[in-house]
Amino acid sequence: MINTERRPRAARHDPAMTANPNQQTDLRKVLYQCRLGRDDLERVFAMACEGIESPTIKVSTVSGSTRFWEGNLADLVATVQSQPTEAGDEWTNLSLEAAGPGRERLVSITIDSERTEYNVSGSDAVWAYGQAARLDSFLGNKGAVTQSPKYETKMSLAFVLFFLVVGAFFLLADSGPDTVSECLAQTRKAKEGAPLVNSLFAALLAIGLTGAIAPIVKRRALRARLQVHSNIPTGGWWSRLSTGERIAAIGVPIAVVAAIGATMSGFSDVFGT
């Protein structure tokens, strides 16, 4: 006789059910150039607390030698504004820590004037990786990058300095004619071609300086920012510059070219070249 009775299927293996209760998934990342205004901070803090049941929340900042903390950002801002802080209205740092009962799920975010760091810990690996991915996506939309831009700025400044040194060497170089007749001939030749040479040199210098200074100005506009009292302006990087920064970005190359032009004119008047 054939037995047609079905045997019950074995239960599927669930890693969460057999996970070691004495272990956690810890994820950490450091990001640069995050531009976070008031609404952005509220959103990222609310996002960080999602998935944590009955979280204990601590939002804090350090002003001078005093640390302030509250249960949310609005209360912290109100508390700091009501106190005579050493830093005044400027905020240079802000931190959030949200933890569940028994600290089985924990998120911390630390923001300062240069970088943003987050830490996600949890016995539930799916939740930990999911929170990290959401924070990455949100901060990425706020300008976050994984490499510090300060080295790029130093390289750009070094290039500008090199360009100016080469230009100065070109202006001050002496061909050293051996005789009076050679000197007079070179003077006549230089007078004939001086306007064209000077114009070409000034144009090349202006283009070179603009190409070197533009990345510096752009990185200035895209620098990390922490604004708890207002939102970050939207639009392109040029629109984020202040009026003074825009004037400097346009005026510095013009001033340098004008100064070099005046120097070249002075040399022409003195040496007849």
Side-chain angles (χ1 to χ4, degrees), residues 45 48-59 69-72 95-108:
F45 285 178
C49 297
E50 291 180 359
I52 302 178
E53 184 179 356
S54 302
T56 300
I57 301 173
K58 179 180 179 182
V59 184
W69 67 87
E70 293 289 348
N72 57 67
S95 299
L96 163 79
E97 181 176 314
R103 301 179 72 85
E104 291 185 357
R105 293 185 177 184
L106 170 67
V107 176
S108 65

Side-chain angles (χ1 to χ4, degrees), residues 164-174 197-198 201 264:
L164 293 176
V165 170
V166 171
F169 178 79
F170 176 81
L171 292 174
L172 300 176
D174 185 8
V197 173
N198 292 348
F201 182 76
M264 294 175 67

Side-chain angles (χ1 to χ4, degrees), residues 29-37 40-41 44 109-118 135-136 138-147 149 221-227 232 240:
K29 182 172 284 189
V30 176
L31 300 167
Y32 302 89
Q33 293 188 175
C34 295
R35 299 180 296 277
L36 300 171
D40 303 322
L41 293 168
V44 74
I109 301 175
T110 303
I111 307 167
D112 60 32
S113 58
E114 293 185 1
R115 67 180 196 171
T116 296
E117 176 182 339
Y118 72 76
L135 291 173
D136 275 344
F138 183 88
L139 295 174
N141 291 331
K142 303 304 174 183
V145 295
T146 57
Q147 299 294 329
L222 300 180
R223 69 191 184 278
R225 299 177 68 181
L226 173 61
Q227 295 183 186
I232 302 295
R240 296 192 181 99

